[in-house]
Amino acid sequence: MKTIFRLAKTELRILFCSPVSWLILVIFAFQAGLNFSENFGGQLKRQALEYGLGEVTLNTFAGYTGLLVSMLKSLYLYIPLITMGIMSRELSSGSIKFLYSSPITTTQIILGKYLSMLIYGAMLMGILLIYIIFGFFTIENMDIAFVLTGLQGLYLLTCAYAAIGLFMSSITSYQVVAAMGTLAVLAVLNFIGDVGQDISFVRDITYWLSISGRAYQFLGGMICSEDVLYFIIVISLFIILSIMRLQAARKKRSKAVTFARYFAVIACALIIGYVSSLPTSKFYYDATALKKNTLTPGSQEVVKNLDGGLTITTYMNILDANYGSALPSQLKEDFSRFEQYVRFKPEIKMKYVYYYAPSVQPSFDGRFEELQGKERAERICKIMELDFDMFLSQEEIDKAIDLKSEGYRFLRVLERENGQKTTLRLYNDMMKHPSETEITTALKRFLVPAPKVAFLTGHGERNVNSAGDRYYYTFARSIYFRHSLINQGFDATELSIKDSDIPEDINILVIADMRSPLSEEEMTRLEHYIERGGNLFILGEPHRQEAMNPLLARFGIELMPGTLVQRNQDYLPSVVTAKLTDNAAAQSPRYAQLKRWGASIVMPDASPLHYSTDKGYTVKPIAMTLKENSWNELETTDFLDGELSINEAIGEKEQSYPVILSLTRQRGNKEQRIVVTGDADCISNTELMNSRNGIFAVNFDFISETFKWLSYGEFPIDTSRPEAIDNRILVSRAATPWISAFALGAIPFILAFIGFMVWYKRKKF
């Protein structure tokens, strides 16, 4: 070891006597300072403008323009300039012969020189560490472990680059050739991950070889054993190859033996790398304070309780618009969507079934119109260079599984060893793929019975099968809508109680906008459901008092005459914005968050609710209209052209009215829960897709939180995370010039001055 340290010390002395090494340090420091001062200064400006900051640690160091990300992108330009002469200089000057004749082994030579590169790389990281220390004292609650993990990844990447540069320098006496060779190898390792992705065996090898993105895992705060071992293997591989290269010069061997030795070393590296990439071989550590790279505790609990194997079978239709998500070339990316789950359940297996059938959302819509069915699929496969033989026909896929009800769209089927099955879909939104919420929801359906929601029919209620403006298809049964009940863990069905009782398996009964009252027989059947503690979601409408009030009277509630109005120069006065109450905030953490943000539940036409507490229920207002410029209009019904004024003589009064109520009572060992609204349009197809300027509407959240409360928190799954706490910088914008002067002036100048003094002292003596 002493010999290795002496060689490293000698190499560093030579290195720092060269102006190139100091110039690289100065340029590196200047680039880092420029990035940090601009990024940090920009955040100080936003803070001074009172825009508010969020996740300052991430934005400063690991965001798209963060310090560590910026330096990572250009790191490959610095290292070859340092390593290009580390061995080439010895070969070109002939000094390598003196090393060969000295009592120093080839291994010691390589390790000594590589150690000097590690020290130089540590100096580069030391420059970045200055800004991390500065951030620690100026960013409120800075996530230091997260940033240090990113710095570790950057250093490992530097070490890997140095090992590659050392090897390239050992095979040529020309420094420029060594530098260009290093850049070439780095380019290959960065882009090889895209090679051979259509071939299973080749895909695994080239994907592992790819260096691209390895350090980004660290920058994201995640330490994975696969990535750590990757850098160790790559570093060891190129160091061993460098040693073998020097040994070849000292001891002649046949080409066959030399080739076999190189092949054996590379093969061993690939085998070890492949084993380390297996799910069962991986270990993880999430260094982020909020564990952003890890499943939420609720999801972990669900996965923990899933014993036995789990197979995710993806059915991809080449004639469906979403075919690209599961092409053979995209399977590694597709696997990453479930990697957090594989981390906690390594036995998850993924299978893919390819077929062709007419989809409700066809691929290449408007093209190849002269071709249909098999001919169309063959043409697409030929153009995309896909093997058509791996695609099943519509007849063959129909025998294996019913995909017709899904419109032959992209579908995943999750199946346990015990035979339980459930589905995952793609959605028509920006994200498209299921998030943690939807995946965990699908898995939880294996563990608990899905709450069954029944929508009452027979009295003009809102239809759950129609996409019309006033109906409920979107949130109830749409397979395309991420937040629909069937995609969030519920089973939704329609129910008539004219001739039969309410089934025992109904957990939630929705009664929306009845146009005619229930008969005595129906009221009796409904009464049985209520008495057994069944939960209800009742939605009223203005002018439905005659049909709805006989039912609501059972709970001490009535729809009051009139229509709520609200003065607003941009929208009809019948469009009211209901604000969440303290009761809502106490009922739901999400409601509490939305209340702090000033959110509203928009109701296009609402009737005020009047309630009493003499029916045995605890009644709490969840949302109320505004106190000012809002009243219950009893005269005017023409809200487009009619004149609105408050007529106190007939009881109109400017005040706040409840429009959403929650009712609870204890029935046996369970709490019965009921939600009543004065508007049925607030969750209609049109309203959920509507967006009004100047109004922060959260009708989506109202649906989710209502059914979550009615299902006792079982569904939808809560995958929310704590809010970031590093949201403030502790210095003012007045510090910006000083930060820039320090980053762009002081640090580069100090390094340049030290370099000049070393050069001057060397020249003098």
Side-chain angles (χ1 to χ4, degrees):
M1 287 298 296
K2 290 183 179 180
T3 302
I4 294 174
F5 281 114
R6 285 199 300 270
L7 286 170
K9 184 177 179 181
T10 301
E11 188 63 35
L12 286 171
R13 186 181 297 111
I14 296 172
L15 186 65
F16 283 107
C17 285
S18 167
V20 173
S21 61
W22 289 103
L23 182 61
I24 290 174
L25 284 174
V26 171
I27 294 175
F28 185 88
F30 184 83
Q31 181 188 352
L34 181 64
N35 174 270
F36 183 83
S37 59
E38 287 184 351
N39 186 310
F40 205 73
Q43 293 190 80
L44 284 174
K45 183 178 181 180
R46 289 194 295 275
Q47 181 172 271
L49 293 172
E50 298 186 357
Y51 282 132
L53 301 179
E55 297 186 291
V56 178
T57 307
L58 172 67
N59 294 328
T60 303
F61 295 101
Y64 183 74
T65 59
L67 174 63
L68 300 184
V69 172
S70 175
M71 301 312 297
L72 183 149
K73 292 177 181 177
S74 57
L75 188 63
Y76 73 97
L77 296 173
Y78 294 101
I79 303 305
L81 297 177
I82 294 299
T83 61
M84 65 181 184
I86 193 167
M87 286 302 303
S88 300
R89 181 179 60 250
E90 309 284 0
L91 296 174
S92 61
S93 65
S95 58
I96 189 67
K97 296 179 180 178
F98 293 102
L99 291 175
Y100 286 160
S101 61
S102 64
I104 303 174
T105 66
T106 304
T107 299
Q108 290 173 329
I109 294 173
I110 294 298
L111 291 180
K113 289 183 174 292
Y114 184 67
L115 179 58
S116 68
M117 292 296 96
L118 295 185
I119 296 172
Y120 188 86
M123 293 181 66
L124 294 176
M125 298 303 107
I127 295 172
L128 301 181
L129 185 61
I130 294 173
Y131 297 106
I132 294 175
I133 295 172
F134 177 82
F136 179 76
F137 288 104
T138 57
I139 298 175
E140 183 181 51
N141 301 313
M142 175 176 161
D143 192 350
I144 187 67
F146 164 53
V147 181
L148 291 179
T149 298
L151 187 67
Q152 176 190 0
L154 203 59
Y155 183 60
L156 286 173
L157 184 65
T158 302
C159 296
Y161 284 175
I164 295 169
L166 174 61
F167 171 70
M168 297 307 299
S169 182
S170 68
I171 63 177
T172 178
S173 59
Y174 299 99
Q175 296 187 25
V176 175
V177 174
M180 296 303 295
T182 302
L183 288 173
V185 173
L186 295 181
V188 170
L189 290 178
N190 270 287
F191 296 107
I192 197 172
D194 297 325
V195 176
Q197 292 300 295
D198 292 327
I199 306 171
S200 178
F201 177 71
V202 176
R203 175 170 58 242
D204 291 334
I205 295 176
T206 58
Y207 187 83
W208 182 85
L209 282 173
S210 176
I211 201 172
S212 177
R214 295 286 181 176
Y216 280 100
Q217 286 271 60
F218 288 87
L219 265 61
M222 173 64 82
I223 300 176
C224 177
S225 60
E226 179 188 9
D227 297 319
V228 174
L229 288 173
Y230 173 85
F231 286 117
I232 294 175
I233 292 169
V234 168
I235 291 169
S236 301
L237 172 64
F238 281 97
I239 288 178
I240 292 172
L241 292 178
S242 300
I243 294 172
M244 292 172 63
R245 172 68 183 86
L246 292 189
Q247 288 177 342
R250 303 181 75 170
K251 184 177 181 180
K252 297 298 181 181
R253 293 186 177 91
S254 66
K255 291 184 178 181
V257 172
T258 301
F259 176 79
R261 295 178 76 232
Y262 280 116
F263 178 81
V265 170
I266 295 173
C268 286
L270 292 177
I271 291 172
I272 296 172
Y274 175 76
V275 173
S276 69
S277 67
L278 296 175
T280 53
S281 304
K282 293 183 182 180
F283 300 93
Y284 300 84
Y285 174 70
D286 190 349
T288 60
L290 301 181
K291 304 302 177 185
K292 294 188 297 182
N293 302 305
T294 306
L295 293 177
T296 55
S299 295
Q300 292 183 43
E301 186 66 23
V302 169
V303 175
K304 178 182 177 181
N305 292 328
L306 284 175
D307 57 335
L310 177 67
T311 301
I312 302 175
T313 304
T314 300
Y315 293 89
M316 188 276 272
N317 180 5
I318 191 63
L319 300 182
D320 175 61
N322 296 306
Y323 72 92
S325 298
L327 289 174
S329 59
Q330 302 298 314
L331 295 191
K332 284 295 183 181
E333 180 181 351
D334 192 54
F335 174 80
S336 66
R337 298 185 177 103
F338 296 90
E339 189 166 8
Q340 287 192 5
Y341 290 86
V342 175
R343 170 184 172 184
F344 292 97
K345 193 173 180 61
E347 60 269 28
I348 290 179
K349 297 179 181 179
M350 299 189 69
K351 293 171 56 178
Y352 295 86
V353 177
Y354 301 97
Y355 69 100
Y356 59 88
S359 172
V360 294
Q361 294 181 324
S363 59
F364 302 99
D365 193 21
R367 285 161 282 181
F368 313 117
E369 292 183 342
E370 73 282 2
L371 301 176
Q372 298 297 326
K374 182 178 179 180
E375 291 76 17
R376 182 182 179 88
E378 283 182 317
R379 173 71 67 84
I380 294 173
C381 288
K382 183 177 180 180
I383 294 172
M384 300 187 67
E385 299 181 351
L386 297 172
D387 181 9
F388 181 72
D389 292 336
M390 71 179 183
F391 290 87
L392 302 177
S393 66
Q394 181 177 352
E395 294 75 18
E396 291 172 319
I397 197 66
D398 285 343
K399 292 179 181 179
I401 184 175
D402 175 23
L403 297 176
K404 185 176 182 180
S405 60
E406 296 285 337
Y408 293 106
R409 296 175 76 246
F410 186 102
L411 186 75
R412 301 187 201 268
V413 175
L414 284 62
E415 183 175 5
R416 297 179 71 188
E417 284 183 348
N418 62 11
Q420 283 183 295
K421 294 182 180 181
T422 190
T423 59
L424 271 177
R425 305 176 176 91
L426 298 190
Y427 313 108
N428 290 350
D429 55 27
M430 293 294 291
M431 287 178 57
K432 185 175 290 189
H433 287 274
S435 67
E436 180 184 341
T437 300
E438 289 75 50
I439 297 173
T440 301
T441 294
L443 296 176
K444 190 173 181 180
R445 286 176 65 104
F446 289 138
L447 303 176
V448 299
K452 196 167 185 179
V453 182
F455 290 81
L456 194 67
T457 63
H459 299 272
E461 295 90 346
R462 301 298 175 97
N463 193 318
V464 297
N465 296 313
S466 172
D469 291 348
R470 302 177 66 253
Y471 301 123
Y472 289 173
Y473 170 73
T474 298
F475 91 83
R477 306 187 72 171
S478 173
I479 63 175
Y480 311 110
F481 184 47
R482 180 183 302 273
H483 303 286
S484 68
L485 294 180
I486 63 171
N487 287 327
Q488 292 296 324
F490 297 88
D491 287 337
T493 185
E494 291 181 295
L495 176 68
S496 172
I497 57 174
K498 287 184 178 181
D499 302 314
S500 60
D501 292 332
I502 299 175
E504 292 291 331
D505 63 346
I506 298 299
N507 305 103
I508 303 169
L509 181 62
V510 181
I511 305 175
D513 189 18
M514 290 195 306
R515 293 169 177 262
S516 60
L518 298 173
S519 67
E520 290 186 13
E521 293 80 2
E522 290 172 317
M523 278 297 297
T524 300
R525 294 185 177 106
L526 180 58
E527 185 67 28
H528 290 161
Y529 175 79
I530 295 171
E531 284 305 309
R532 76 171 189 238
N535 293 343
L536 293 105
F537 188 13
I538 305 174
L539 300 102
E541 271 282 296
H543 316 299
R544 297 286 189 264
Q545 288 84 357
E546 183 179 351
M548 300 289 295
N549 278 345
L551 166 63
L552 294 174
R554 170 68 175 74
F555 310 106
I557 300 173
E558 68 169 322
L559 293 171
M560 297 173 62
T563 302
L564 290 167
V565 295
Q566 178 179 313
R567 285 196 178 100
N568 191 315
Q569 62 180 1
D570 297 319
Y571 306 108
L572 291 176
S574 58
V575 176
V576 298
T577 53
K579 295 295 184 179
L580 295 166
T581 65
D582 292 337
N583 293 320
Q587 177 179 298
S588 160
R590 177 60 176 168
Y591 277 158
Q593 183 183 58
L594 295 174
K595 185 177 184 296
R596 290 197 304 271
W597 293 347
S600 303
I601 298 174
V602 177
M603 295 187 167
D605 287 287
S607 175
L609 299 174
H610 180 269
Y611 66 91
S612 63
T613 57
D614 58 357
K615 298 294 184 179
Y617 290 91
T618 300
V619 184
K620 296 179 180 179
I622 297 299
M624 300 187 70
T625 58
L626 303 178
K627 293 182 179 180
E628 299 178 352
N629 295 318
S630 177
W631 68 93
N632 184 27
E633 179 61 44
L634 298 172
E635 291 181 311
T636 304
T637 58
D638 183 1
F639 297 115
L640 182 61
D641 299 315
E643 292 291 333
L644 289 178
S645 62
I646 302 175
N647 186 352
E648 295 184 357
I650 63 172
E652 295 179 354
K653 184 179 180 181
E654 186 179 33
Q655 67 178 49
S656 178
Y657 288 91
V659 287
I660 302 176
L661 300 174
S662 71
L663 293 79
T664 58
R665 70 168 178 173
Q666 199 68 29
R667 298 299 293 171
N669 59 355
K670 65 175 286 189
E671 181 182 67
Q672 184 180 36
R673 296 179 174 182
I674 301 170
V675 174
V676 180
T677 74
D679 175 45
D681 292 321
C682 61
I683 58 175
S684 65
N685 296 330
T686 295
E687 194 57 39
L688 292 182
M689 300 302 169
N690 206 347
S691 176
R692 295 180 175 87
N693 291 330
I695 298 178
F696 178 22
V698 290
N699 292 38
F700 280 139
D701 295 272
F702 169 57
I703 296 174
S704 298
E705 292 305 308
T706 295
F707 282 97
K708 182 177 181 179
W709 187 66
L710 293 174
S711 67
Y712 305 100
E714 291 290 351
F715 297 100
I717 298 293
D718 182 14
T719 57
S720 61
R721 299 176 185 273
E723 295 183 18
I725 58 175
D726 54 338
N727 300 325
R728 190 165 69 95
I729 299 176
L730 302 178
V731 295
S732 68
R733 193 175 178 232
T736 301
W738 296 100
I739 294 173
S740 297
F742 177 75
L744 298 176
I747 296 179
F749 175 78
I750 291 172
L751 291 172
F753 179 77
I754 295 173
F756 173 78
M757 293 304 296
V758 170
W759 171 82
Y760 179 78
K761 184 176 180 180
R762 179 174 177 270
K763 183 178 180 181
K764 183 177 180 180
F765 294 99

